[in-house]
Amino acid sequence: MKRINILVTTLILVTFFSCDEASKGSKESQITKLRIENYLDTIQKSFKNYTTNTVIRKELNDFVKSDFKSKLNSGIFNDLPLKLNKVEKCNSKYVLKLEHSLTSKYYDRGLLNALEIEIYAETDEKTAKQLTENKFYLIEATFKEYITFQNNESYCAYSLMSPFMGFSSGISDNEIQFGAIGVKLKTIKPFTE
């Protein structure tokens, strides 16, 4: 009788844990991909072997540089939570520094793990003073310009990430860098899941 009780208890526990694992697996498969994830997936499929061929990787990165401006204007980042790193008064204007990077990201999965971008957006004083640094926000914005060492002072962007843009190779093989971008901010709202 004792063996039957142990057997029944074991079967119940195995069934319980199996159902729990199946539930976790189905939740993971139900994750809706963000627009930027779909975009990066499409690029990788279009440029097969970019990880093992320098010519193909250069073609991919040239494509990204020319295509990305229109993608940003069509809302590629609208559903990506960006961390508000800093609100700064820059001369007479207010500038928001938002980012998704290896160290400041909301989603920790797939290609989003490798994505690095800094967004600089001018805003009005009222909006600037209502926001909370180190919180995540969703934005709607249009492309204004890439921020370089020649124009960084107008955004108070004194320390920029690498000016490289694209899928990297070498030491940082797993990074997809979009650099620092100045945008025209349309809307900003707190991210809630």
Side-chain angles (χ1 to χ4, degrees), residues 93-96 120-124 144 154-155 183-185:
K93 57 190 172 187
Y94 293 86
V95 177
L96 309 176
Y120 290 83
E122 288 181 33
T123 191
D124 58 86
K144 207 168 159 187
S154 64
Y155 292 92
V183 299
K184 181 177 182 194
L185 189 65

Side-chain angles (χ1 to χ4, degrees), residues 88-104:
E88 194 162 8
K89 187 169 184 184
C90 185
N91 301 317
S92 61
K93 57 190 172 187
Y94 293 86
V95 177
L96 309 176
K97 179 185 175 191
L98 300 128
E99 63 184 17
H100 176 93
S101 70
L102 301 179
T103 58
S104 60

Side-chain angles (χ1 to χ4, degrees), residues 70-174:
S70 66
K71 294 300 184 219
L72 196 148
N73 291 341
S74 67
I76 198 165
F77 286 126
N78 289 9
D79 57 353
L80 176 67
L82 297 168
K83 184 176 183 181
L84 179 60
N85 187 329
K86 190 182 240 184
V87 179
E88 194 162 8
K89 187 169 184 184
C90 185
N91 301 317
S92 61
K93 57 190 172 187
Y94 293 86
V95 177
L96 309 176
K97 179 185 175 191
L98 300 128
E99 63 184 17
H100 176 93
S101 70
L102 301 179
T103 58
S104 60
K105 58 190 168 199
Y106 186 83
Y107 292 115
D108 191 15
R109 66 177 193 238
L111 291 172
L112 292 177
N113 283 338
L115 182 63
E116 293 246 343
I117 187 162
E118 291 179 347
I119 303 283
Y120 290 83
E122 288 181 33
T123 191
D124 58 86
E125 180 179 4
K126 181 181 175 187
T127 302
K129 291 181 177 180
Q130 290 176 344
L131 301 173
T132 305
E133 292 176 354
N134 296 315
K135 298 285 183 187
F136 288 87
Y137 291 89
L138 295 175
I139 66 166
E140 288 183 33
T142 55
F143 182 87
K144 207 168 159 187
E145 62 186 329
Y146 288 112
I147 300 174
T148 65
F149 295 114
Q150 287 74 38
N151 65 357
N152 65 343
E153 288 184 16
S154 64
Y155 292 92
C156 291
Y158 300 116
S159 61
L160 294 173
M161 67 171 47
S162 167
F164 172 80
M165 182 180 174
F167 290 68
S168 61
S169 64
I171 295 172
S172 55
D173 268 345
N174 296 327

Side-chain angles (χ1 to χ4, degrees), residues 14-94:
V14 168
T15 303
F16 173 76
F17 286 115
S18 296
C19 290
D20 188 47
E21 288 301 313
S23 170
K24 285 180 186 174
S26 66
K27 284 179 187 174
E28 288 175 12
S29 65
Q30 292 175 358
I31 293 174
T32 303
K33 282 191 173 183
L34 303 180
R35 293 175 187 174
I36 187 68
E37 288 176 291
N38 289 324
Y39 177 68
L40 295 173
D41 280 343
T42 301
I43 289 173
Q44 287 182 323
K45 289 174 186 166
S46 298
F47 293 89
K48 292 180 175 41
N49 299 327
Y50 76 92
T51 59
T52 58
N53 186 301
T54 304
V55 171
I56 296 171
R57 186 172 40 256
K58 183 176 178 342
E59 289 174 357
L60 178 152
N61 290 340
D62 289 344
F63 173 80
V64 169
K65 288 174 192 171
S66 66
D67 186 59
F68 184 70
K69 294 176 193 178
S70 66
K71 294 300 184 219
L72 196 148
N73 291 341
S74 67
I76 198 165
F77 286 126
N78 289 9
D79 57 353
L80 176 67
L82 297 168
K83 184 176 183 181
L84 179 60
N85 187 329
K86 190 182 240 184
V87 179
E88 194 162 8
K89 187 169 184 184
C90 185
N91 301 317
S92 61
K93 57 190 172 187
Y94 293 86

